[in-house]
Amino acid sequence: MKVLLTGSAGFIGSHVAEELQAAGHEVVGLDVRAGTDVRDEAAVDSSVAGSDVVVHQAAKVGQGVDVADLPGYASTNVYGTAVLLAAMARRGVGRLVLASSMVVYGEGAYECSEHGRVRPGPRATDDLSRGVFEPRCPRCGAPLVPVVIGEDAPTDPRNAYATTKLAQEHLAANWARETGCVAVALRYHNVYGPRMPRDTPYSGVAAIFRSALEAERAPRVFEDGGQRRDFVHVRDVARANLAALAGGEEGTLEAYNIASGEPRTVREMAVALAAARGGPEPVVTGEYRLGDVRHIVASPARARAELGFRARIGFAEGMREFAEAPLG
Ligand code: UD1
């Protein structure tokens, strides 16, 4: 197939390009680093023409620093996706694979022994400053058990990036419904691997720890280190994009968690990376960031059943490679 790949020069996009090419697809890249902005209607229109599918990775990522970042997120992620979808409709391109994120869920899924499945709101500053990191039942205050989150969980975007990722999904669903086309949203969990951008205010925790170790500094693990994430290797994410080319249903958007299925705590990740690099041992600092969620652990079942996608790179193997791999 002829694939228009936006964000083709980025961390994830560059791996997607390699995976698609290795599978025999013709990849046309569009990237702001190569001079084409996804908001540029004329450039996007001519790039879309003649494609069989658009794989949309281009986005402003990370958590943002403050409200001054809002226009940038809205413009690149929301308006850029709208420009792309309009061009696809004009040019008769009927299939979209969208890079979405687990951040659309907000806090992970939890169960209360008394009240069953509950959705805790943001954690209180008072609790965090006292070292009470686990969210509690919003109805009775009891301790909760974290459970895996499925794609049907309610969404609760808690920062600008999350809001724009959810807006992209909604716009793509609108487009699919109105045109009868196919949209597949891949909700990436915590992606890591070679060429991950080094430490910036917008970086995820794996890049921050990896950059610290490169500078021979100890990774600083926030809270008590027990917060859980699903770290998924970037080559597995690229393979999920390849699998998504054949997935989905006409007239609708289907969303999939893209995860390893092997959740780990942030502390475990820091320890694995430091050991593989032979660097200083991680320090658990007790610091916290107000916007952070405690645990977010995915069910990879739907992607497995419907896309035939299963991550192949295990945690230990992936972290060993990442410890020495070049950053972007
Ligand atoms: C991250 C991304 C999010 C992305 C998602 C899925 C950022 C800022 N967040 O969300 O945009 O969609 O993965 O790929 O890019 N932590 C430390 N030490 C540090 C920094 C962070 O212990 O130096 C902890 C945080 O407190 C948090 C955990 O690591 O508990 C994960 O942090 P981070 O990777 O920034 O955010 P996610 O919520 O996982």
Side-chain angles (χ1 to χ4, degrees), residues 296-314:
I296 173 118
V297 173
S299 166
R302 187 158 192 245
R304 192 173 296 170
E306 295 182 17
L307 300 178
F309 167 73
R310 184 192 287 265
R312 286 189 194 149
I313 303 174

Side-chain angles (χ1 to χ4, degrees), residues 63 101 161 189-190 202 205 220 222 227 229 289 292:
Q63 200 156 269
S101 169
Y161 172 66
H189 283 253
N190 292 64
Y202 304 94
V205 66
R220 294 177 64 79
F222 297 162
Q227 58 275 44
R229 294 292 187 278
R289 300 186 306 196
D292 279 337

Side-chain angles (χ1 to χ4, degrees), residues 61-64 101-103 123 159 161 188-191 201-206 208-209 220-223 227 229 231 266 287-289 292-294 296:
V61 299
Q63 200 156 269
S101 169
M102 57 80 163
V103 289
R123 294 174 292 172
N159 57 46
Y161 172 66
Y188 302 158
H189 283 253
N190 292 64
V191 186
Y202 304 94
S203 301
V205 66
I208 293 173
F209 289 174
R220 294 177 64 79
V221 179
F222 297 162
E223 304 187 13
Q227 58 275 44
R229 294 292 187 278
F231 297 97
V266 168
E287 291 163 90
Y288 58 89
R289 300 186 306 196
D292 279 337
V293 299
R294 177 65 176 169
I296 173 118

Side-chain angles (χ1 to χ4, degrees), residues 32-81:
V32 72
R33 298 168 194 79
T36 311
D37 195 301
V38 75
R39 295 166 294 186
D40 179 336
E41 286 187 40
V44 167
D45 188 73
S46 58
S47 305
V48 163
S51 304
D52 301 303
V53 51
V54 173
V55 176
H56 184 30
Q57 309 286 324
K60 183 171 164 66
V61 299
Q63 200 156 269
V65 179
D66 58 33
V67 286
D69 287 321
L70 289 177
Y73 280 104
S75 176
T76 298
N77 298 359
V78 184
Y79 179 68
T81 299

